Amino acid sequence: MFYVGIIDVVCLFVNGLATGIFMINGYVFCSSPVLLQSSGSLGLGLWIAACDVGMILGINRCFEMYNTHVACSLFDDRKVYLWLMIPTFHGFCAWLFSKPVFFNSFFMSWFFNPHIGYYPDDELVTLIQVFCICTFTTIAAGVYVYEQFFPVSNIFILIGSYAWICAHGFPSVIYVTMNRTVRKQFLRLLQRKTPAIYSSNVQPSQTTNNKVSNKA
């Protein structure tokens, strides 16, 4: 319980005190990137450690109700310090290596996307693009592997063939329709004016006509 109290008190400085200060001053990511990233990383690490401690505490209470002797053998004396190493290590790794959360005063909360609210969020569109492309690739690969070892119908074979074609031909359609950068470049390419082709219509001069007439 003492360990839980330490985590709760330290975390209150992030989700309580720091959040209030950031909100009053209207902080977004560009206001102070280092401060927001440091606070978000610390808050995320403490949150994960608190969740782990909560699960360990729940396991301890379950064993206490089930069999006190088993609970004592697992959590008695210094063994509890071994259990507390799990949330400590997990929270420490999350603090240093996980993607932090960032405070955004537009929505008065912490988000993984630092530009939410004032920069377009294309993560969902990107996810749909990747899902569509990988779907055809997965179907084609699965069908071709399956038909090497098991008898299949002609429809099943056609599905694999068309999926293979779509796996290489459909990405361009997805990029043009769903990727704004590619779509702009594609439309710009179509709007380029083709160079004008002028026909050569050269008329012989009067001097040339006179020379031809004299020779005749």
Side-chain angles (χ1 to χ4, degrees):
M1 300 300 292
F2 180 74
Y3 184 89
V4 176
I6 294 177
I7 293 179
D8 290 340
V9 170
V10 177
C11 195
L12 282 173
F13 282 96
V14 178
N15 59 14
L17 181 62
T19 299
I21 295 175
F22 295 157
M23 184 60 209
I24 293 173
N25 292 277
Y27 270 44
V28 292
F29 175 72
C30 296
S31 302
S32 182
V34 177
L35 178 60
L36 290 180
Q37 182 171 356
S38 302
S39 302
S41 299
L42 179 60
L44 181 62
L46 292 171
W47 168 258
I48 291 177
C51 293
D52 291 346
V53 173
M55 289 188 291
I56 293 174
L57 187 61
I59 294 172
N60 174 262
R61 292 297 182 265
C62 290
F63 277 112
E64 287 284 350
M65 292 186 295
Y66 174 72
N67 192 321
T68 56
H69 296 288
V70 176
C72 291
S73 63
L74 292 176
F75 295 94
D76 196 16
D77 296 331
R78 295 185 178 181
K79 295 178 182 178
V80 68
Y81 295 106
L82 297 177
W83 284 95
L84 293 180
M85 289 179 62
I86 298 175
T88 303
F89 180 75
H90 191 192
F92 188 76
C93 290
W95 175 30
L96 294 180
F97 305 112
S98 294
K99 182 180 179 180
V101 290
F102 302 91
F103 182 79
N104 190 297
S105 60
F106 292 155
F107 301 100
M108 299 177 290
S109 186
W110 299 78
F111 299 90
F112 286 102
N113 182 2
H115 304 293
I116 188 171
Y118 62 97
Y119 192 80
D121 187 4
D122 295 331
E123 292 184 359
L124 179 59
V125 178
T126 304
L127 179 63
I128 296 174
Q129 294 179 37
V130 174
F131 177 78
C132 293
I133 295 173
C134 293
T135 298
F136 292 110
T137 305
T138 304
I139 294 175
V143 170
Y144 273 90
V145 171
Y146 185 85
E147 68 182 11
Q148 305 302 318
F149 302 96
F150 304 99
V152 295
S153 62
N154 293 333
I155 297 178
F156 198 78
I157 295 174
L158 289 176
I159 291 175
S161 299
Y162 285 121
W164 189 11
I165 294 173
C166 292
H168 297 281
F170 202 64
S172 58
V173 179
I174 295 176
Y175 293 145
V176 172
T177 55
M178 303 185 66
N179 191 302
R180 288 182 298 177
T181 303
V182 176
R183 184 168 60 250
K184 288 180 180 179
Q185 295 294 332
F186 178 73
L187 294 176
R188 187 178 302 173
L189 182 64
L190 293 180
Q191 292 174 357
R192 287 181 181 177
K193 295 182 179 180
T194 56
I197 301 176
Y198 299 96
S199 60
S200 178
N201 189 11
V202 180
Q203 298 293 334
S205 62
Q206 186 65 29
T207 306
T208 305
N209 291 334
N210 293 335
K211 290 181 179 180
V212 173
S213 300
N214 293 333
K215 290 181 179 180

